[in-house]
Amino acid sequence: MSISGPLDMRYAVGHGNNRVITHVLGGTPRQVPARYDSVDPIRNLDPALPVTLFHGLADDDVDPTNSRRYATALDAAGGSAELHMFDGETHTSLVHRQSPSYTRILDRLTEITRTDIDELRDE
């Protein structure tokens, strides 16, 4: 599960307000490529794990295209990505209780959890 995550960190460095990534990793993808390769989610896909992604379309910090790129890459690798994009939501607004997206995200996470619990019971 990801809420507005920079799931393609190399892309994120050039798209959005992601100075935090270069700070934490100690440089740009050109300067420290091995660091990006080791931690970048899009470079470490696990098709066996289904992923649910939530992203606001008005996000200026992590470009919404970032989540789309990850979903596309995971699907191409034979995995399963469920992508939810929310009009008018910024990087943090969709997790505020006042946001209509907040309830939708919680509802979807509850559904996923219930399904996982039911599957465990059936084993």
XYZ file of all heavy atoms in Angstrom, residues 41-105:
499
model
N 11.685 1.620 -5.092
C 10.647 0.589 -5.221
C 10.426 0.082 -6.652
O 10.245 -1.112 -6.853
C 9.392 1.285 -4.680
C 9.915 2.285 -3.705
C 11.199 2.773 -4.327
N 10.485 0.971 -7.635
C 10.231 0.539 -9.012
C 11.353 -0.349 -9.547
O 11.169 -1.108 -10.482
C 9.979 1.754 -9.943
C 9.174 1.328 -11.170
C 11.289 2.439 -10.318
C 8.578 2.460 -11.962
N 12.511 -0.289 -8.946
C 13.636 -1.130 -9.350
C 13.693 -2.428 -8.546
O 14.564 -3.262 -8.770
C 14.940 -0.369 -9.190
C 14.961 0.883 -10.038
C 16.336 1.212 -10.518
N 16.421 2.446 -11.243
C 15.925 2.670 -12.461
N 15.271 1.747 -13.076
N 16.078 3.833 -13.054
N 12.791 -2.561 -7.590
C 12.771 -3.738 -6.722
C 11.353 -4.308 -6.632
O 10.860 -4.617 -5.551
C 13.291 -3.358 -5.330
C 14.739 -2.936 -5.367
O 15.625 -3.756 -5.480
N 14.982 -1.628 -5.317
N 10.723 -4.456 -7.774
C 9.345 -4.945 -7.833
C 9.259 -6.406 -7.398
O 10.145 -7.201 -7.702
C 8.811 -4.845 -9.265
C 8.691 -3.449 -9.859
C 8.397 -3.546 -11.348
C 7.621 -2.651 -9.150
N 8.176 -6.733 -6.715
C 7.881 -8.122 -6.381
C 6.486 -8.424 -6.916
O 5.487 -8.097 -6.274
C 7.931 -8.344 -4.873
C 7.716 -9.793 -4.490
O 7.354 -10.606 -5.373
O 7.903 -10.125 -3.308
N 6.402 -9.036 -8.088
C 5.101 -9.300 -8.693
C 4.186 -10.182 -7.842
O 2.978 -10.213 -8.057
C 5.445 -9.997 -10.013
C 6.858 -9.644 -10.287
C 7.501 -9.441 -8.952
N 4.739 -10.883 -6.873
C 3.926 -11.754 -6.017
C 3.107 -10.964 -5.004
O 2.155 -11.497 -4.435
C 4.818 -12.755 -5.290
N 3.463 -9.715 -4.787
C 2.754 -8.898 -3.802
C 1.830 -7.900 -4.488
O 2.293 -6.993 -5.177
C 3.753 -8.125 -2.934
C 4.687 -8.952 -2.071
C 5.703 -8.045 -1.382
C 3.904 -9.744 -1.049
N 0.516 -8.039 -4.310
C -0.385 -7.038 -4.870
C -0.219 -5.715 -4.124
O 0.042 -5.702 -2.922
C -1.778 -7.632 -4.632
C -1.604 -8.600 -3.527
C -0.182 -9.078 -3.571
N -0.357 -4.620 -4.847
C -0.143 -3.308 -4.262
C -1.347 -2.415 -4.552
O -1.861 -2.392 -5.671
C 1.140 -2.648 -4.830
C 1.329 -1.254 -4.275
C 2.354 -3.506 -4.527
N -1.775 -1.679 -3.531
C -2.841 -0.693 -3.683
C -2.217 0.687 -3.513
O -1.521 0.931 -2.523
C -3.959 -0.915 -2.645
O -4.457 -2.244 -2.802
C -5.088 0.077 -2.839
N -2.457 1.557 -4.482
C -1.851 2.882 -4.500
C -2.933 3.957 -4.434
O -3.952 3.858 -5.123
C -1.059 3.077 -5.795
C -0.096 1.961 -6.183
C 0.348 2.114 -7.615
C 1.092 1.966 -5.243
N -2.683 4.986 -3.625
C -3.579 6.132 -3.512
C -2.753 7.381 -3.784
O -1.657 7.538 -3.228
C -4.172 6.227 -2.100
C -4.892 4.995 -1.651
C -4.260 4.072 -0.846
C -6.207 4.767 -2.028
C -4.920 2.927 -0.411
C -6.879 3.630 -1.605
C -6.227 2.700 -0.787
N -3.276 8.279 -4.627
C -2.508 9.489 -4.951
C -3.456 10.627 -5.315
O -4.435 10.421 -6.036
C -1.566 9.224 -6.121
C -0.293 9.981 -6.038
N 0.937 9.385 -5.969
C -0.052 11.312 -5.997
C 1.881 10.312 -5.893
N 1.293 11.496 -5.912
N -3.159 11.819 -4.808
C -3.925 13.014 -5.156
C -3.435 13.595 -6.467
O -2.226 13.717 -6.681
N -4.356 13.979 -7.332
C -3.981 14.524 -8.633
C -3.427 15.946 -8.548
O -2.822 16.427 -9.503
C -5.177 14.467 -9.585
C -5.551 13.048 -10.024
C -6.893 13.044 -10.760
C -4.457 12.461 -10.898
N -3.620 16.628 -7.420
C -3.082 17.979 -7.238
C -1.806 17.954 -6.393
O -1.401 18.970 -5.834
C -4.129 18.880 -6.592
N -1.161 16.811 -6.316
C 0.058 16.645 -5.521
C 1.236 17.326 -6.218
O 1.616 16.944 -7.318
C 0.343 15.154 -5.339
C 1.434 14.856 -4.346
O 2.292 15.732 -4.096
O 1.438 13.730 -3.810
N 1.807 18.356 -5.575
C 2.978 19.043 -6.121
C 4.282 18.489 -5.553
O 5.359 18.817 -6.045
C 2.918 20.544 -5.799
C 1.825 21.266 -6.569
O 1.443 20.783 -7.652
O 1.347 22.303 -6.078
N 4.198 17.695 -4.495
C 5.401 17.130 -3.881
C 5.858 15.868 -4.605
O 7.029 15.727 -4.944
C 5.160 16.824 -2.404
C 4.984 18.083 -1.576
O 5.727 19.056 -1.811
O 4.104 18.108 -0.706
N 4.948 14.935 -4.797
C 5.236 13.713 -5.547
C 4.261 13.681 -6.721
O 3.061 13.509 -6.528
C 5.071 12.448 -4.672
C 5.317 11.195 -5.501
C 6.019 12.489 -3.470
N 4.793 13.876 -7.896
C 3.974 13.918 -9.105
C 3.102 12.663 -9.188
O 3.611 11.550 -9.037
C 4.918 13.992 -10.317
C 4.212 14.201 -11.632
O 3.115 13.646 -11.824
O 4.769 14.898 -12.483
N 1.793 12.816 -9.416
C 0.906 11.655 -9.525
C 1.337 10.642 -10.589
O 1.047 9.453 -10.478
C -0.453 12.268 -9.878
C -0.374 13.683 -9.429
C 1.061 14.084 -9.536
N 2.059 11.110 -11.595
C 2.574 10.207 -12.620
C 3.474 9.148 -11.996
O 3.599 8.032 -12.509
C 3.326 11.002 -13.707
O 2.423 11.943 -14.274
C 3.885 10.108 -14.788
N 4.070 9.467 -10.869
C 4.941 8.531 -10.175
C 4.183 7.245 -9.838
O 4.668 6.143 -10.105
C 5.480 9.202 -8.903
C 6.749 8.584 -8.418
O 6.754 7.434 -8.037
N 7.828 9.357 -8.426
N 2.993 7.373 -9.272
C 2.197 6.186 -8.941
C 1.750 5.456 -10.200
O 1.717 4.219 -10.232
C 0.984 6.571 -8.096
O 1.378 6.902 -6.782
N 1.420 6.208 -11.242
C 1.027 5.577 -12.503
C 2.177 4.754 -13.080
O 1.976 3.646 -13.576
C 0.600 6.637 -13.523
C -0.725 7.271 -13.233
C -1.142 8.176 -14.396
N -2.293 8.967 -14.049
C -2.268 10.268 -13.806
N -1.142 10.948 -13.901
N -3.377 10.909 -13.495
N 3.394 5.303 -13.020
C 4.569 4.606 -13.540
C 4.791 3.296 -12.785
O 5.093 2.266 -13.383
C 5.805 5.493 -13.443
C 5.797 6.675 -14.396
C 6.920 7.667 -14.098
N 8.231 7.080 -14.243
C 8.935 7.055 -15.372
N 8.431 7.616 -16.460
N 10.129 6.507 -15.407
N 4.648 3.361 -11.461
C 4.850 2.161 -10.645
C 3.794 1.106 -10.979
O 4.115 -0.076 -11.153
C 4.810 2.506 -9.161
C 5.116 1.326 -8.287
C 6.431 0.998 -7.972
C 4.095 0.519 -7.791
C 6.722 -0.109 -7.175
C 4.376 -0.584 -6.999
C 5.691 -0.888 -6.696
O 5.973 -1.991 -5.917
N 2.534 1.518 -11.055
C 1.448 0.578 -11.363
C 1.682 -0.080 -12.721
O 1.521 -1.298 -12.866
C 0.104 1.295 -11.332
N 2.087 0.702 -13.699
C 2.355 0.173 -15.031
C 3.505 -0.820 -14.999
O 3.434 -1.893 -15.607
C 2.663 1.326 -16.016
O 1.512 2.187 -16.078
C 3.000 0.810 -17.396
N 4.573 -0.489 -14.292
C 5.741 -1.375 -14.203
C 5.382 -2.678 -13.486
O 5.803 -3.763 -13.909
C 6.892 -0.664 -13.482
N 4.622 -2.583 -12.410
C 4.243 -3.789 -11.671
C 3.345 -4.679 -12.528
O 3.539 -5.899 -12.582
C 3.557 -3.429 -10.352
C 3.223 -4.611 -9.441
C 4.483 -5.389 -9.047
C 2.499 -4.122 -8.191
N 2.383 -4.082 -13.208
C 1.516 -4.858 -14.101
C 2.332 -5.524 -15.213
O 2.114 -6.692 -15.534
C 0.425 -3.975 -14.705
C -0.647 -3.571 -13.695
O -0.774 -4.229 -12.633
O -1.360 -2.583 -13.959
N 3.293 -4.798 -15.785
C 4.138 -5.348 -16.853
C 5.006 -6.496 -16.355
O 5.340 -7.408 -17.118
C 5.020 -4.248 -17.451
N 5.332 -6.481 -15.054
C 6.156 -7.542 -14.461
C 5.304 -8.739 -14.044
O 5.817 -9.697 -13.462
C 6.921 -6.995 -13.261
N 3.995 -8.669 -14.335
C 3.112 -9.777 -13.999
C 2.461 -9.649 -12.639
O 1.819 -10.580 -12.154
N 2.609 -8.492 -12.013
C 2.010 -8.259 -10.704
C 0.639 -7.632 -10.815
O 0.061 -7.538 -11.900
N 0.149 -7.185 -9.670
C -1.180 -6.600 -9.612
C -1.125 -5.280 -8.854
O -0.786 -5.254 -7.673
C -2.131 -7.565 -8.904
O -3.377 -6.965 -8.691
N -1.466 -4.206 -9.554
C -1.498 -2.885 -8.939
C -2.900 -2.312 -9.062
O -3.478 -2.296 -10.144
C -0.495 -1.951 -9.603
N -3.428 -1.850 -7.947
C -4.737 -1.197 -7.908
C -4.475 0.279 -7.633
O -3.991 0.633 -6.565
C -5.562 -1.820 -6.787
C -6.917 -1.230 -6.582
C -7.611 -1.859 -5.379
O -7.422 -3.061 -5.102
O -8.334 -1.108 -4.697
N -4.768 1.131 -8.601
C -4.435 2.544 -8.520
C -5.690 3.386 -8.312
O -6.640 3.291 -9.088
C -3.713 2.981 -9.796
C -3.312 4.435 -9.932
C -2.351 4.848 -8.822
C -2.676 4.673 -11.301
N -5.668 4.215 -7.263
C -6.773 5.132 -6.966
C -6.230 6.557 -7.014
O -5.332 6.904 -6.241
C -7.342 4.867 -5.566
C -7.878 3.501 -5.388
N -9.191 3.188 -5.632
C -7.270 2.353 -4.997
C -9.377 1.904 -5.380
N -8.235 1.368 -5.004
N -6.758 7.366 -7.930
C -6.341 8.753 -8.066
C -7.510 9.639 -7.642
O -8.662 9.362 -7.982
C -5.947 9.047 -9.508
C -4.874 8.116 -10.053
S -3.313 8.224 -9.174
C -2.532 9.507 -10.099
N -7.199 10.731 -6.912
C -8.236 11.579 -6.345
C -8.101 13.015 -6.842
O -7.083 13.667 -6.596
C -8.159 11.551 -4.816
C -8.350 10.180 -4.238
C -7.266 9.384 -3.920
C -9.622 9.682 -4.026
C -7.443 8.116 -3.392
C -9.820 8.414 -3.492
C -8.717 7.628 -3.172
N -9.139 13.491 -7.537
C -9.170 14.868 -8.034
C -9.074 15.856 -6.873
O -9.699 15.672 -5.829
C -10.472 15.144 -8.796
C -10.492 14.515 -10.168
O -9.426 14.434 -10.799
O -11.577 14.094 -10.607
N -8.300 16.912 -7.084
C -8.232 18.015 -6.140
C -7.449 17.754 -4.869
O -7.308 18.644 -4.035
N -6.917 16.561 -4.706
C -6.185 16.230 -3.474
C -4.685 16.483 -3.657
O -4.113 16.163 -4.690
C -6.412 14.776 -3.073
C -7.845 14.439 -2.746
C -8.322 14.988 -1.407
O -7.578 15.723 -0.716
O -9.468 14.686 -1.038
N -4.081 17.048 -2.613
C -2.645 17.324 -2.614
C -1.905 16.159 -1.961
O -2.493 15.128 -1.632
C -2.345 18.624 -1.844
O -2.662 18.416 -0.463
C -3.122 19.798 -2.414
N -0.622 16.370 -1.725
C 0.219 15.318 -1.152
C -0.301 14.859 0.216
O -0.264 13.672 0.523
C 1.662 15.829 -1.031
C 2.638 14.788 -0.621
N 2.933 13.698 -1.411
C 3.379 14.655 0.495
C 3.830 12.947 -0.789
N 4.118 13.503 0.367
N -0.791 15.779 0.996
C -1.230 15.416 2.347
C -2.729 15.545 2.579
O -3.250 14.981 3.538
C -0.500 16.273 3.401
O -0.750 17.658 3.127
C 0.990 16.001 3.394
N -3.439 16.246 1.718
C -4.857 16.502 1.991
C -5.695 15.226 2.027
O -6.675 15.150 2.761
C -5.445 17.483 0.975
O -5.539 16.902 -0.313
N -5.319 14.222 1.257
C -6.155 13.036 1.207
C -6.118 12.207 2.486
O -6.931 11.307 2.658
C -5.851 12.161 -0.009
C -4.451 11.693 -0.242
C -4.422 10.180 -0.357
C -3.990 12.266 -1.555
N -5.229 12.530 3.412
C -5.222 11.813 4.690
C -5.758 12.677 5.836
O -5.623 12.320 6.997
C -3.820 11.256 5.045
C -3.432 10.166 4.061
C -2.779 12.359 5.078
N -6.374 13.791 5.490
C -7.047 14.609 6.506
C -8.469 14.104 6.669
O -9.149 13.807 5.686
C -7.065 16.082 6.090
C -5.718 16.718 6.140
N -5.556 18.068 5.999
C -4.475 16.222 6.309
C -4.268 18.369 6.073
N -3.600 17.254 6.255
N -8.924 14.047 7.885
C -10.272 13.522 8.153
C -11.368 14.290 7.431
O -12.418 13.740 7.143
C -10.546 13.535 9.648
C -9.750 12.506 10.374
C -10.070 12.504 11.837
N -9.129 11.619 12.496
C -9.395 10.961 13.580
N -10.556 11.113 14.171
N -8.495 10.175 14.105
N -11.138 15.550 7.118
C -12.142 16.359 6.437
C -12.257 16.014 4.955
O -13.224 16.381 4.299
C -11.822 17.860 6.573
C -11.779 18.365 7.987
C -10.434 18.102 8.676
O -9.496 17.600 8.084
N -10.365 18.438 9.959
N -11.292 15.341 4.432
C -11.270 15.020 3.008
C -12.215 13.858 2.700
O -12.212 12.847 3.395
C -9.851 14.627 2.595
O -9.850 14.034 1.322
N -12.999 13.973 1.625
C -13.834 12.838 1.217
C -12.984 11.622 0.823
O -13.416 10.489 0.957
C -14.623 13.357 0.018
C -14.222 14.759 -0.211
C -13.189 15.145 0.786
N -11.776 11.863 0.377
C -10.883 10.767 -0.005
C -10.447 9.957 1.202
O -10.220 8.749 1.099
C -9.646 11.318 -0.720
O -10.032 12.052 -1.847
N -10.334 10.603 2.340
C -9.907 9.936 3.575
C -10.808 8.738 3.869
O -10.329 7.631 4.103
C -9.937 10.948 4.721
C -9.558 10.403 6.066
C -8.219 10.276 6.431
C -10.525 10.040 7.001
C -7.866 9.793 7.678
C -10.180 9.556 8.250
C -8.846 9.442 8.584
O -8.486 8.961 9.814
N -12.099 8.948 3.822
C -13.051 7.870 4.097
C -12.969 6.791 3.032
O -13.005 5.597 3.345
C -14.488 8.435 4.177
O -14.527 9.433 5.196
C -15.491 7.348 4.485
N -12.812 7.191 1.796
C -12.703 6.202 0.713
C -11.449 5.346 0.876
O -11.487 4.135 0.651
C -12.707 6.904 -0.641
C -14.089 7.506 -0.957
C -14.133 8.321 -2.231
N -13.636 7.609 -3.382
C -13.228 8.205 -4.494
N -13.260 9.527 -4.589
N -12.800 7.498 -5.516
N -10.353 5.969 1.283
C -9.113 5.218 1.511
C -9.298 4.245 2.675
O -8.949 3.065 2.577
C -7.928 6.180 1.757
C -7.585 6.919 0.467
C -6.716 5.422 2.286
C -6.622 8.072 0.635
